[in-house]
PDB file of all heavy atoms in Angstrom:
ATOM      1  N   LYS A  48     138.687 120.182 112.548  1.00 94.00           N
ATOM      2  CA  LYS A  48     137.553 119.260 112.575  1.00 94.00           C
ATOM      3  C   LYS A  48     136.486 119.676 111.566  1.00 94.00           C
ATOM      4  O   LYS A  48     135.917 118.837 110.859  1.00 94.00           O
ATOM      5  CB  LYS A  48     136.929 119.217 113.973  1.00 94.00           C
ATOM      6  CG  LYS A  48     137.788 118.580 115.028  1.00 94.00           C
ATOM      7  CD  LYS A  48     137.088 118.627 116.363  1.00 94.00           C
ATOM      8  CE  LYS A  48     137.974 118.160 117.481  1.00 94.00           C
ATOM      9  NZ  LYS A  48     137.333 118.300 118.791  1.00 94.00           N
ATOM     10  N   LEU A  49     136.215 120.963 111.497  1.00 93.00           N
ATOM     11  CA  LEU A  49     135.216 121.455 110.557  1.00 93.00           C
ATOM     12  C   LEU A  49     135.640 121.187 109.117  1.00 93.00           C
ATOM     13  O   LEU A  49     134.809 120.805 108.278  1.00 93.00           O
ATOM     14  CB  LEU A  49     134.972 122.950 110.774  1.00 93.00           C
ATOM     15  CG  LEU A  49     134.269 123.330 112.085  1.00 93.00           C
ATOM     16  CD1 LEU A  49     134.277 124.844 112.265  1.00 93.00           C
ATOM     17  CD2 LEU A  49     132.857 122.796 112.090  1.00 93.00           C
ATOM     18  N   ALA A  50     136.915 121.371 108.829  1.00 94.00           N
ATOM     19  CA  ALA A  50     137.410 121.111 107.475  1.00 94.00           C
ATOM     20  C   ALA A  50     137.269 119.627 107.139  1.00 94.00           C
ATOM     21  O   ALA A  50     136.870 119.272 106.022  1.00 94.00           O
ATOM     22  CB  ALA A  50     138.868 121.549 107.346  1.00 94.00           C
ATOM     23  N   GLU A  51     137.559 118.769 108.103  1.00 95.00           N
ATOM     24  CA  GLU A  51     137.409 117.318 107.890  1.00 95.00           C
ATOM     25  C   GLU A  51     135.949 116.953 107.655  1.00 95.00           C
ATOM     26  O   GLU A  51     135.623 116.152 106.770  1.00 95.00           O
ATOM     27  CB  GLU A  51     137.954 116.587 109.119  1.00 95.00           C
ATOM     28  CG  GLU A  51     138.004 115.098 108.978  1.00 95.00           C
ATOM     29  CD  GLU A  51     138.601 114.455 110.217  1.00 95.00           C
ATOM     30  OE1 GLU A  51     139.498 115.057 110.845  1.00 95.00           O
ATOM     31  OE2 GLU A  51     138.162 113.344 110.552  1.00 95.00           O
ATOM     32  N   MET A  52     135.040 117.547 108.440  1.00 95.00           N
ATOM     33  CA  MET A  52     133.612 117.280 108.273  1.00 95.00           C
ATOM     34  C   MET A  52     133.120 117.770 106.914  1.00 95.00           C
ATOM     35  O   MET A  52     132.353 117.074 106.243  1.00 95.00           O
ATOM     36  CB  MET A  52     132.820 117.957 109.395  1.00 95.00           C
ATOM     37  CG  MET A  52     132.969 117.291 110.740  1.00 95.00           C
ATOM     38  SD  MET A  52     132.199 118.195 112.091  1.00 95.00           S
ATOM     39  CE  MET A  52     130.570 118.475 111.511  1.00 95.00           C
ATOM     40  N   VAL A  53     133.548 118.940 106.511  1.00 95.00           N
ATOM     41  CA  VAL A  53     133.126 119.482 105.221  1.00 95.00           C
ATOM     42  C   VAL A  53     133.641 118.601 104.088  1.00 95.00           C
ATOM     43  O   VAL A  53     132.922 118.332 103.116  1.00 95.00           O
ATOM     44  CB  VAL A  53     133.594 120.947 105.067  1.00 95.00           C
ATOM     45  CG1 VAL A  53     133.439 121.425 103.638  1.00 95.00           C
ATOM     46  CG2 VAL A  53     132.828 121.848 106.014  1.00 95.00           C
ATOM     47  N   THR A  54     134.856 118.102 104.204  1.00 95.00           N
ATOM     48  CA  THR A  54     135.410 117.209 103.188  1.00 95.00           C
ATOM     49  C   THR A  54     134.586 115.936 103.093  1.00 95.00           C
ATOM     50  O   THR A  54     134.244 115.479 101.989  1.00 95.00           O
ATOM     51  CB  THR A  54     136.877 116.878 103.515  1.00 95.00           C
ATOM     52  OG1 THR A  54     137.617 118.089 103.596  1.00 95.00           O
ATOM     53  CG2 THR A  54     137.483 115.968 102.463  1.00 95.00           C
ATOM     54  N   ALA A  55     134.249 115.346 104.240  1.00 96.00           N
ATOM     55  CA  ALA A  55     133.438 114.123 104.245  1.00 96.00           C
ATOM     56  C   ALA A  55     132.053 114.381 103.664  1.00 96.00           C
ATOM     57  O   ALA A  55     131.530 113.573 102.883  1.00 96.00           O
ATOM     58  CB  ALA A  55     133.331 113.576 105.666  1.00 96.00           C
ATOM     59  N   MET A  56     131.457 115.511 104.027  1.00 96.00           N
ATOM     60  CA  MET A  56     130.132 115.842 103.508  1.00 96.00           C
ATOM     61  C   MET A  56     130.189 116.094 102.002  1.00 96.00           C
ATOM     62  O   MET A  56     129.262 115.726 101.267  1.00 96.00           O
ATOM     63  CB  MET A  56     129.559 117.051 104.250  1.00 96.00           C
ATOM     64  CG  MET A  56     129.140 116.711 105.667  1.00 96.00           C
ATOM     65  SD  MET A  56     128.608 118.073 106.736  1.00 96.00           S
ATOM     66  CE  MET A  56     127.919 119.267 105.695  1.00 96.00           C
TER      67      MET A  56
END
Side-chain angles (χ1 to χ4, degrees):
K48 291 179 187 176
L49 291 172
E51 186 178 326
M52 287 173 52
V53 167
T54 302
M56 288 174 30

